[in-house]
Each structure stands twice: as structure tokens, then as C-alpha cells.
Amino acid sequence: TPSIFYQELHLNDTAAYWVGLSDPGAGTFRNGNRLTNWSVDPFTLSSIKVKWDLSFAQLISNTSYFSRDQRSISDYTQYLRASFAGGCTSVAGCALGSPYPTSATDGGYAPFRDKQSNFYQEIRLSSNDPSSRILWSAGLFYSQLRENVFELIYDPTLDAETSFCAVNGPCPGGLLGSTPLNKVTDTQVAGFGELTFKFTDTLKATAGLRVSKLKYSGSTS
């Protein structure tokens, strides 16, 4: 029994507004961003279930794979100017140093990416007669979850306005900085079992056990 589920979420801009620039009572909502903050977030969840009837028991295998690759852009224009070019308390009359965009060429942005790849496998053997006095099941489980996240910060015009690159180092193509590439892997192996004994049709006792080994590792580069 195979199945595939796919979803893709698109956001054209942030829904957040700045209180100082807006008048909610009049239905006016604005923000001070120079650029749109868009996001594309697709994922695919694929799985296949296989069931065998072995007369004395059922053998069931469940396999699934989750893949997600989110990409987005965050506007950093006002943040960078507020951080490196001083501040400003009002929109009107702000010149160089304003946290608000002051020209059509201003534009600081941060591309972001979050990539996930998750694999799951379970194999389970279960008794085949629900009317039996003794019911049992046992199986193995395995999963490996991987995630990679990184972000870059660009602003081609900030150096001309603040001499940022002269002070902080080269900025090729307007690249002001980058967050480290974070790679995380989460692996789990487990075995489990359950036994049920029916004393009567309405009274039964159940005991179960699950033993797992987990390994979590991460690297930053």
C-alpha cells in the first residue's frame, strides 16, 4: 500500500506590521521593510506498507521518507542601518543612519535555507488470531533524521553608506556575513514487544517492553 503526500506553502511577504507606522483603527497596516519577506516551503512524505499473512502471524513493514527544503528571504535593510549607521526616532526627516529605507537602492537581505531528510522503518510481527487467549507482537524500529540550516546576509549598498567593509573586512558581492552551516543527525534503533493474556472475555493483562538506542550528533562549519 503506497502513499505520497505533497505540500508546498508560499508566502509573498510577512504579515507583521509596525505599530509606529500603522493605524489599525483606520485599517492601515504598514511595516518599514525595504524588501518583501517571502518564503517557499515544500515537503514530501512518501510511505509504503507491506503486509504478509503467515497463517500463524502477520508480518507488517512500514517504510516512510520525509523530505523538506524551505527557502526564504528576510529583509535586513533597517536592521543593518540601525545597527551600523546609528538610529532615528521618526520617519520624517531621517537621513543617513535611519533604520528605515532612505533610497530606492537600499536593500539588505538574508537568504535562509532549512533542509530536512527523515527516514523511518518499522517491522512488526503480530499474532493472527484475535480470539486467542494469548496475543503478542514484536518488532524493530529504525529512524535517521537529518537537518542542515544556514543563512547569509547581503547588503550591496551598506559599505558606501557606512564603510562597513573597510572596518570589518572584505564584503565580496555585498556579503556581510554568514551563519555557520549547522548539520544535525538524530539516529534511533529500537526493539519492542507486547504480550496480552486473557483471563476471561472481560479481564486481561498486558505487559510491554521497548528498548532503544539513540545517537544525536551535530557539526558546525
Side-chain angles (χ1 to χ4, degrees):
T1 308
S3 67
I4 297 178
F5 179 84
Y6 179 78
Q7 173 180 293
E8 187 165 325
L9 177 64
H10 286 257
L11 299 177
N12 292 323
D13 201 356
T14 178
Y17 66 91
W18 295 16
V19 175
L21 302 180
S22 305
D23 185 358
T28 301
F29 302 93
R30 301 189 182 97
N31 65 54
N33 294 333
R34 167 69 178 88
L35 307 171
T36 57
N37 290 250
W38 59 263
S39 174
V40 177
D41 189 1
F43 78 78
T44 303
L45 178 59
S46 307
S47 66
I48 183 168
K49 178 180 180 180
V50 182
K51 182 166 69 173
W52 293 270
D53 190 344
L54 305 177
S55 68
F56 74 97
Q58 284 189 344
L59 182 63
I60 299 175
S61 171
N62 283 299
T63 307
S64 62
Y65 179 73
F66 174 81
S67 178
R68 179 189 180 205
D69 191 1
Q70 180 190 14
R71 299 169 184 264
S72 65
I73 293 287
S74 297
D75 180 81
Y76 271 37
T77 307
Q78 71 285 347
Y79 169 77
L80 293 171
R81 280 153 185 77
S83 299
F84 301 106
C88 185
T89 59
S90 66
V91 181
C94 286
L96 180 62
S98 170
Y100 304 101
T102 57
S103 73
T105 59
D106 287 341
Y109 59 96
F112 171 85
R113 185 177 185 184
D114 184 356
K115 185 173 178 60
Q116 294 176 266
S117 301
N118 299 346
F119 174 79
Y120 304 88
Q121 174 65 54
E122 181 183 283
I123 297 177
R124 183 173 70 255
L125 188 66
S126 303
S127 55
N128 208 17
D129 184 5
S131 63
S132 173
R133 184 174 292 274
I134 298 177
L135 304 175
W136 56 269
S137 65
L140 297 172
F141 174 82
Y142 172 82
S143 68
Q144 186 174 75
L145 287 59
R146 298 178 179 270
E147 185 170 13
N148 299 334
V149 178
F150 75 93
E151 185 177 38
L152 304 174
I153 302 175
Y154 289 95
D155 194 319
T157 63
L158 185 67
D159 182 51
E161 299 175 12
T162 66
S163 300
F164 176 91
C165 300
V167 175
N168 297 278
C171 305
L175 177 63
L176 305 183
S178 61
T179 62
L181 174 60
N182 296 304
K183 298 181 179 180
V184 176
T185 302
D186 187 351
T187 304
Q188 179 180 169
V189 179
F192 58 90
E194 184 177 281
L195 181 67
T196 298
F197 182 80
K198 294 182 179 179
F199 294 100
T200 67
D201 290 340
T202 57
L203 179 63
K204 63 183 179 180
T206 301
L209 179 67
R210 187 179 192 275
V211 179
S212 63
K213 180 180 180 181
L214 293 85
K215 180 181 179 182
Y216 182 85
S217 60
S219 65
T220 301
S221 60

